[in-house]
Amino acid sequence: MNNNIFVAGHNGMVGRAVHEKLNKNGQNSIFTIDRKSVDLANPEQFEDFVLDNNINEIIFCAAKVGGIKANNDNKFEFLYQNSVMQNNLFNIVRKHKIKKLTFLGSSCIYPRDCKQPIKEEYMLSGRLEETNDAYALAKISGVKFCEILNQSNSFDCRALMPTNIYGYHDNFSIDDSHVIPGLIRKFYEAKKNNNNNVEIWGTGKPYREFMFSEDLGDAISFIHSMKKSDFYKITGPKSLINVGSGDEMQIKDVAIMIADIFDFRGSITFNSSYPDGTPRKRLDLSLLDKTGWKKKHSIKEGLKNTVDWFRENFNSIRK
Ligand code: GFB
């Protein structure tokens, strides 16, 4: 049977990567919609869209996302907007017996001082990191909805927890972005303006695991298309699976890599009045490995591709 798959959030970095990947694969009908036409926070609009298009599968990449500062400064919005969209999603999945859902969370659902590498079973085993607890709580509720729905055999809700993502179509603003797009923007501006110093937030000591958006898009479409029995054999009914790259680095070293791509020869300073966030969140990828999926890009390639894309699209991108 041909499937009508709705990729929610196709204008965002991750949704775009998934959409492009599915379009290349080509066996199913892929549906997308702009926020101006259908607001996923509006329950009637969301439900009508699903019914009008006979949607029977959803890949849910729509979310309010941002870096450490955006998350910390706007907790209400991060909790509220993500909760409203997700509550509508799960109500629709349940009411209309949507055949398959792939839901995306984030590695920040795990406790701040979690044992490393982080296994899926560690969710809710300790306190959350404060800079992103609001976003994390919304995502934890999504994981829980998946688990609850999967208690009935008629549902198939897969909860994927990606690590820190970067890539094409990211948000390259200084204030709201994640670290890689933020630093790309800073080194680019410094080079352009002959500025000899770039300031990094925090101490530069935390570790992060970074994944290129094209690899995540590939992983999501791979996992979404797995047979139900094969997927649950790996995850069990909880359906929670980490998605990462294994490319873990200290922030200061990422800064040096980006500086090198720009051939920046000035100094890098650290402003510890900004928060570091969680010290480390390396994902355990044993379950992902069992699916047979493999990443295609090293961090070096991913960063180089992203910087090239940023340079080419500087005039039209979100800043
Ligand atoms: O990427 P990032 O904002 O997110 O920050 P988190 C990672 C680390 O980079 C932190 C440091 O230690 C920052 O202090 N950093 C250094 C910078 N310079 C910069 C800069 O110019 N911009 C930014 N943004 N950071 C987010 C969560 O946490 O991770 C979200 O807030 C989400 O909820 C996402 O889960 C994956 O990794 O700290």
Side-chain angles (χ1 to χ4, degrees):
M1 179 187 151
N2 189 40
N3 293 310
N4 289 344
I5 308 180
F6 173 34
V7 178
H10 74 293
N11 281 321
M13 170 174 61
V14 176
R16 264 177 204 268
V18 173
H19 186 216
E20 277 164 20
K21 189 78 209 165
L22 290 174
N23 271 344
K24 269 186 210 148
N25 291 350
Q27 304 103 338
N28 298 301
S29 305
I30 312 300
F31 290 77
T32 58
I33 190 77
D34 287 327
R35 196 179 308 176
K36 274 183 266 128
S37 314
V38 171
D39 181 1
L40 301 177
N42 178 312
E44 288 84 28
Q45 287 183 17
F46 191 169
E47 187 172 23
D48 286 350
F49 174 78
V50 166
L51 295 180
D52 291 348
N53 295 291
N54 294 319
I55 300 295
N56 55 11
E57 297 190 9
I58 300 178
I59 302 182
F60 200 74
C61 308
K64 179 169 176 60
V65 296
I68 192 166
K69 186 172 184 307
N71 265 273
N72 201 26
D73 292 352
N74 306 286
K75 291 193 176 196
F76 185 92
E77 290 302 325
F78 274 80
L79 179 55
Y80 179 75
Q81 289 191 29
N82 285 303
S83 300
V84 169
M85 285 191 289
Q86 287 173 201
N87 290 346
N88 291 339
L89 168 74
F90 286 105
N91 187 40
I92 289 167
V93 167
R94 180 176 182 232
K95 192 167 157 192
H96 300 294
K97 301 240 172 339
I98 296 296
K99 204 171 78 174
K100 194 194 275 184
L101 165 70
T102 290
F103 172 77
L104 295 186
S106 159
S107 60
C108 68
I109 62 157
Y110 296 112
R112 177 182 201 276
D113 298 309
C114 211
K115 209 165 108 188
Q116 311 278 324
I118 305 172
K119 288 185 193 292
E120 289 81 353
E121 68 206 49
Y122 299 162
M123 189 183 87
L124 293 176
S125 65
R127 291 181 73 86
L128 294 168
E129 156 62 28
E130 268 187 32
T131 53
N132 57 36
D133 53 0
Y135 179 72
L137 278 167
K139 290 298 175 186
I140 289 170
S141 110
V143 175
K144 208 68 200 171
F145 271 126
C146 289
E147 191 184 316
I148 293 166
L149 286 175
N150 285 343
Q151 283 166 4
S152 150
N153 242 345
S154 40
F155 291 102
D156 176 359
C157 302
R158 307 176 181 190
L160 276 50
M161 296 305 116
T163 183
N164 284 50
I165 310 302
Y166 66 95
Y168 312 140
H169 302 279
D170 207 343
N171 171 3
F172 291 87
S173 81
I174 297 281
D175 265 1
D176 297 340
S177 61
H178 288 96
V179 59
I180 287 183
L183 293 184
I184 288 177
R185 175 84 186 278
K186 286 180 184 174
F187 283 107
Y188 175 84
E189 304 267 352
K191 236 354 225 190
K192 197 171 80 178
N193 303 323
N194 282 323
N195 189 340
N196 261 336
N197 181 253
V198 167
E199 186 186 275
I200 309 292
W201 296 349
T203 60
K205 290 181 185 158
Y207 288 84
R208 292 292 182 270
E209 179 183 345
F210 294 106
M211 186 177 202
F212 187 41
S213 58
E214 302 280 288
D215 283 335
L216 179 61
D218 192 45
I220 292 169
S221 66
F222 179 92
I223 294 173
H224 184 84
S225 63
M226 282 176 75
K227 256 174 65 188
K228 190 172 176 181
S229 53
D230 291 342
F231 179 75
Y232 290 96
K233 212 182 285 161
I234 292 169
T235 65
K238 286 203 165 171
S239 81
L240 180 55
I241 184 163
N242 291 337
V243 182
S245 64
D247 286 330
E248 191 189 37
M249 298 181 76
Q250 261 186 312
I251 297 300
K252 66 178 171 55
D253 294 326
V254 182
I256 292 169
M257 273 184 97
I258 298 173
D260 283 347
I261 296 175
F262 282 101
D263 195 27
F264 172 83
R265 305 289 166 131
S267 56
I268 296 175
T269 50
F270 297 92
N271 183 343
S272 47
S273 66
Y274 284 92
D276 267 346
T278 191
R280 200 178 171 202
K281 45 178 169 180
R282 185 187 186 123
L283 293 176
D284 183 298
L285 302 175
S286 312
L287 298 188
L288 182 68
D289 288 345
K290 284 189 188 162
T291 68
W293 180 82
K294 290 203 177 2
K295 69 170 183 185
K296 297 194 173 65
H297 301 85
S298 67
I299 180 144
K300 214 171 158 194
E301 287 164 335
L303 284 180
K304 175 79 174 56
N305 292 350
T306 306
V307 169
D308 287 346
W309 184 91
F310 173 81
R311 283 188 168 124
E312 277 162 33
N313 294 279
F314 183 76
N315 292 325
S316 56
I317 56 175
R318 208 148 51 106
K319 300 191 239 358

